Amino acid sequence: MLHTAADLRDKLQAQLGTFPLFNYWGPKTSIKSSKWIADASKITDNLYNPTLTLIYLPHLDYNLQRFGPSDPRVAKDLQEIDAVAGDLISFYEAKGAKVMVLSEYGISDVNQPVHLNRVLREKGYISVRIERDTELLDMAMSEAFAVADHQIAHVYVKDQAKIAEVKQLLQSVDGVEEVLAGAERDKYKLAHERCGELVVVAKANAWFTYYFWLDDRKAPDYARMVDIHKKPGFDPVEMFADPKIKFLLPKVAGKVLKKKLGFRMVMNIIPLDATLIKGSHGRIQEDKNEWPLLLSNTKAPLPQELQAVDVFDVILQHLQAPNPTQRKSAVAV
């Protein structure tokens, strides 16, 4: 019998309610989203008995980026996710599954946001267009622009003849550790067809914003919203509500009512203060205690260190390894 994603959604929502999206990302993030995902995974397993289950528990992404891993407030998050993950592991082990626990990355303390697109704009490489008195990044007309992702940025340069000068400019930016071009990008196995002409790596205490405007009054509407698909780069500041807003909850309620009445509404409650972020990732951390981990409940030996691209082979080996119970492998991420 063919099962569709819509069928599964309906079955899960019938038992668990609608996925708590506002607890998954934004100022209201909480353990609720990870708990929902864990419970949904158990229901799915009971329904379909899949061969391989990949489960993403996002909880530690939140306050580790908000406050940084050194902040004592993170202890509560560790306890919360430990309870959820422990219950999930026990569930699968009771069914004879081979369980792996993988952290996608480790998060380090940071204190310096770096605005690469503002640097490029000040030197005339970036073009913007005006809509409703706000600025939007015009990638097609820009000579160079950066797509920022935490501590890594891909910089796309239209004219090949300008790559060297853009590289020199970015190398001089405070907070930048290295700028890689051409074959240099193979240092991190990144020289593929979708890679930027330049790859920029932040220093250990720094991270890259997507900000391209020079005047906050001209920032686009989406800058003050949770709107991950419109922003030309990752924006962890979406996890904060603007502390300058008084009576936040009544303001949000008023905006929701306005939308229901059919009026144009902008949920502009996100601050434009990148210094709020105290944790980031992407570069290879100098302290190995901050590296991600891979754990397994099988007796198969694991290497002390491995490259991220080798995780696929480890998962495949576990999946193919003999199992006396003839059960699946479950991978909790």
Side-chain angles (χ1 to χ4, degrees), residues 283-298:
R283 54 174 282 121
I284 298 176
Q285 292 104 326
E286 297 165 6
D287 184 353
K288 291 187 178 181
N289 289 323
E290 296 182 345
W291 285 16
L293 297 174
L294 190 154
L295 310 174
S296 170
N297 71 343
T298 72

Side-chain angles (χ1 to χ4, degrees), residues 23-233:
N23 298 107
Y24 177 78
W25 189 249
K28 290 184 63 179
T29 53
S30 74
I31 192 63
K32 290 181 180 179
S33 59
S34 291
K35 181 68 166 59
W36 195 100
I37 293 169
D39 291 341
S41 301
K42 292 189 289 186
I43 293 171
T44 303
D45 188 271
N46 287 330
L47 285 171
Y48 303 117
N49 189 26
T51 301
L52 174 66
T53 302
L54 302 175
I55 305 165
Y56 172 56
L57 303 177
H59 189 56
L60 291 183
D61 248 357
Y62 306 147
N63 283 341
L64 281 172
Q65 290 188 61
R66 281 192 185 104
F67 309 135
S70 299
D71 192 291
R73 286 173 287 185
V74 173
K76 178 175 180 289
D77 298 89
L78 293 171
Q79 292 170 350
E80 290 175 335
I81 197 63
D82 184 70
V84 172
D87 174 73
L88 196 59
I89 291 169
S90 296
F91 169 83
Y92 280 106
E93 287 186 330
K95 294 196 169 190
K98 298 188 289 287
V99 180
M100 296 173 61
V101 178
L102 172 67
S103 55
E104 188 178 0
Y105 41 75
I107 293 179
S108 304
D109 290 304
V110 294
N111 56 21
Q112 182 184 2
V114 179
H115 313 293
L116 295 179
N117 279 323
R118 287 178 174 172
V119 173
L120 292 170
R121 182 171 180 182
E122 288 171 344
K123 296 298 181 180
Y125 292 103
I126 280 194
S127 295
V128 300
R129 65 178 190 271
I130 307 299
E131 291 190 12
R132 297 193 184 98
D133 297 322
T134 68
E135 296 177 342
L136 298 178
L137 177 62
D138 193 334
M139 299 180 187
M141 298 303 295
S142 295
E143 290 297 321
F145 63 90
V147 176
D149 188 11
H150 301 277
Q151 292 181 305
I152 304 295
H154 288 259
V155 178
Y156 296 90
V157 185
K158 183 184 296 186
D159 186 349
Q160 299 290 309
K162 294 184 178 180
I163 292 177
E165 65 184 56
V166 175
K167 177 181 179 181
Q168 183 177 11
L169 169 65
L170 297 179
Q171 283 176 325
S172 67
V173 175
D174 184 29
V176 168
E177 181 169 284
E178 58 182 340
V179 183
L180 307 174
E184 296 171 338
R185 299 169 299 171
D186 280 326
K187 178 179 180 180
Y188 302 114
K189 298 181 174 66
L190 291 175
H192 54 76
E193 61 188 16
R194 296 182 302 280
C195 184
E197 280 69 34
L198 299 170
V199 173
V200 189
V201 182
K203 290 183 177 179
N205 69 313
W207 66 281
F208 299 131
T209 78
Y210 77 95
Y211 297 176
F212 57 86
W213 57 90
L214 304 179
D215 183 343
D216 282 353
R217 293 173 297 180
K218 296 182 180 180
D221 285 346
Y222 60 66
R224 293 183 173 89
M225 299 169 61
V226 177
D227 202 341
I228 62 175
H229 299 298
K230 288 185 179 179
K231 296 180 180 181

